[in-house]
Amino acid sequence: MGSLPPSHLDFSSANHGNEHHHHQEISKDNLLALFKSQQDLLNHFFKHLDLPQTLDFSRILLSTSGTVFFTGVGKSAFVANKISQTLISLSFRSSFLSPLDALHGDIGALSSRDVLVLFSKSGSTEELLRLVPCAKARGAFLVSLTSVPGNPLAGVCDMNVHLPLQRELCPFNLAPVTSTAIQMVFGDTIAVALMAARNLTKEEYGANHPAGRIGKSLIFKVKDVMKKKEELPVCKEGDLIMDQLVELTSKGCGCLLVVDEHHRLIGTFTDGDLRRTLKASGEAIFKLSVGEMCNRNPRTIGPETMAVEAMKKMESPPSPVQFLPVVNEENTLIGIVTLHGLVSAGL
């Protein structure tokens, strides 16, 4: 049988049952109290964390010649995956291993050169306990990160790091809203410690994030985002202004780049210069050359300069500009970088 159309459904009982929810509110004082309580619970973690144990764990990850695998179940799995992704972004070999998929073939990724980190608040997660003997058979070094003292997972792993947990912020002490925060803080802090130990540079970090704004600001140079060759609005200083209007407006740069016979930059003439010249000269503009009215001391930039520096130079005093001619060491024009182009590139 097909289902009844919506007009035949009766939601009255459901609506009556949920009426009291419409009058529920969150007060400012209650919300503040919750944040303060969470802060206290996190401070308990920081105060009681075993630093020597944590240091040993960090050194094991740093010295491993293989891959650092992370695993967990439920909310801990999300944390494990996130920490693994953080390490990958910092140029460490890392991966998330699903405990279920591991028992159906993925365990083959583990070797004796690898470390397997198991996140579990209780340390009694059945899926992880089933995974342990299989991972040990592959020769991997196993580290459990748990919060309940004397748990079975800690007893069967090569190493355990205790993540002190006073209780969950949840009023029933059930929803993992503090334990997962502790796991995340612990994992990310270890990741930064490893990053510092490896002396990772900003350039190396940026190379791992080529599509993001961070990566682009660290990777992209002016030569990567500039217009060049036929895209350039070029003219000679002897050209009449009125003869170059099409060139001025058709290339989308808002300017003319004035060059000599060797293609060396002489100056720039902008659409703003055109308006000012027309206002000051009237009909005489028909006889004026670009060279007579151009700016012979424009801001320029080199092709190897970081693109983000080009944006800063455009915005610098005494007044912002919308473009920068790109010249080489001989002052030969090789391109133009525009503010619109930088923004379009994600900078």
Side-chain angles (χ1 to χ4, degrees):
M1 290 180 61
S3 58
L4 292 174
S7 59
H8 290 204
L9 299 178
D10 181 11
F11 293 102
S12 58
S13 60
N15 289 336
H16 288 314
N18 290 325
E19 275 182 358
H20 69 283
H21 289 299
H22 297 301
H23 305 291
Q24 296 289 318
E25 288 187 3
I26 299 175
S27 72
K28 177 181 176 181
D29 290 341
N30 286 345
L31 186 61
L32 180 61
L34 283 172
F35 276 111
K36 286 185 175 180
S37 295
Q38 184 75 308
Q39 182 181 32
D40 290 341
L41 293 172
L42 292 176
N43 284 338
H44 173 86
F45 162 75
F46 292 124
K47 183 178 179 180
H48 294 90
L49 181 65
D50 188 327
L51 192 57
Q53 193 179 60
T54 303
L55 183 59
D56 289 342
F57 171 66
S58 303
R59 287 171 172 168
I60 285 172
L61 299 192
L62 184 64
S63 63
T64 183
S65 60
T67 300
V68 179
F69 287 90
F70 290 85
T71 189
V73 175
K75 308 298 188 297
S76 293
F78 289 106
V79 176
N81 198 4
K82 192 273 178 190
I83 302 304
S84 174
Q85 291 300 315
T86 297
L87 286 180
I88 291 171
S89 74
L90 300 178
S91 298
F92 285 85
R93 287 195 298 274
S94 184
S95 183
F96 174 75
L97 182 66
S98 163
L100 178 61
D101 293 337
L103 298 179
H104 291 274
D106 285 3
I107 195 73
L110 282 179
S111 75
S112 58
R113 299 167 59 241
D114 302 329
V115 174
L116 176 62
V117 181
L118 303 93
F119 277 100
S120 175
K121 170 189 171 181
S122 67
S124 58
T125 309
E126 290 185 12
E127 293 89 340
L128 297 184
L129 290 171
R130 287 199 298 267
L131 174 61
V132 167
C134 304
K136 280 191 170 183
R138 301 290 302 180
F141 187 87
L142 274 56
V143 183
S144 58
L145 305 180
T146 60
S147 294
V148 175
N151 64 80
L153 187 61
V156 294
C157 286
D158 299 300
M159 179 183 183
N160 175 256
V161 179
H162 178 67
L163 306 184
L165 174 67
Q166 187 174 8
R167 58 160 288 132
E168 300 285 1
L169 183 64
C170 166
F172 310 120
N173 195 25
L174 294 175
V177 291
T178 302
S179 56
T180 50
I182 286 170
Q183 291 173 344
M184 192 76 78
V185 167
F186 179 83
D188 278 339
T189 304
I190 296 298
V192 174
L194 297 174
M195 174 184 178
R198 287 273 183 92
N199 296 313
L200 187 76
T201 66
K202 285 178 68 175
E203 290 71 25
E204 289 171 330
Y205 182 78
N208 294 337
H209 299 78
R213 188 171 183 178
I214 294 174
K216 289 175 180 178
S217 68
L218 295 171
I219 296 173
F220 280 17
K221 295 183 177 181
V222 168
K223 65 182 181 181
D224 299 318
V225 295
M226 70 182 186
K227 292 186 176 184
K228 45 195 171 184
K229 296 181 180 179
E230 67 277 357
E231 297 177 290
L232 302 181
V234 176
C235 72
K236 300 294 178 62
E237 62 177 328
D239 293 339
L240 294 177
I241 292 174
M242 300 309 292
D243 291 342
Q244 295 299 317
L245 291 184
V246 173
E247 189 74 5
L248 174 64
T249 57
S250 64
K251 298 294 179 67
C253 298
C255 69
L256 290 170
L257 302 174
V258 189
V259 298
D260 63 15
E261 63 273 15
H262 301 294
H263 215 67
R264 286 189 293 262
L265 182 69
I266 294 174
T268 61
F269 184 83
T270 68
D271 48 12
D273 292 329
L274 174 64
R275 289 190 296 271
R276 286 185 287 271
T277 303
L278 183 59
K279 183 177 181 180
S281 304
E283 292 184 4
I285 194 173
F286 289 98
K287 299 180 180 179
L288 292 174
S289 68
V290 178
E292 291 178 89
M293 305 306 297
C294 72
N295 171 19
R296 291 179 176 265
N297 188 31
R299 296 179 211 178
T300 61
I301 199 163
E304 296 296 327
T305 306
M306 300 306 295
V308 69
E309 293 301 319
M311 182 172 286
K312 291 179 182 178
K313 193 167 187 177
M314 288 182 191
E315 297 170 346
S316 64
S319 60
V321 296
Q322 300 293 312
F323 66 89
L324 292 173
V326 184
V327 296
N328 62 17
E329 294 177 354
E330 288 77 37
N331 200 43
T332 301
L333 180 69
I334 57 176
I336 184 173
V337 59
T338 66
L339 182 60
H340 180 267
L342 291 173
V343 172
S344 297
L347 293 164

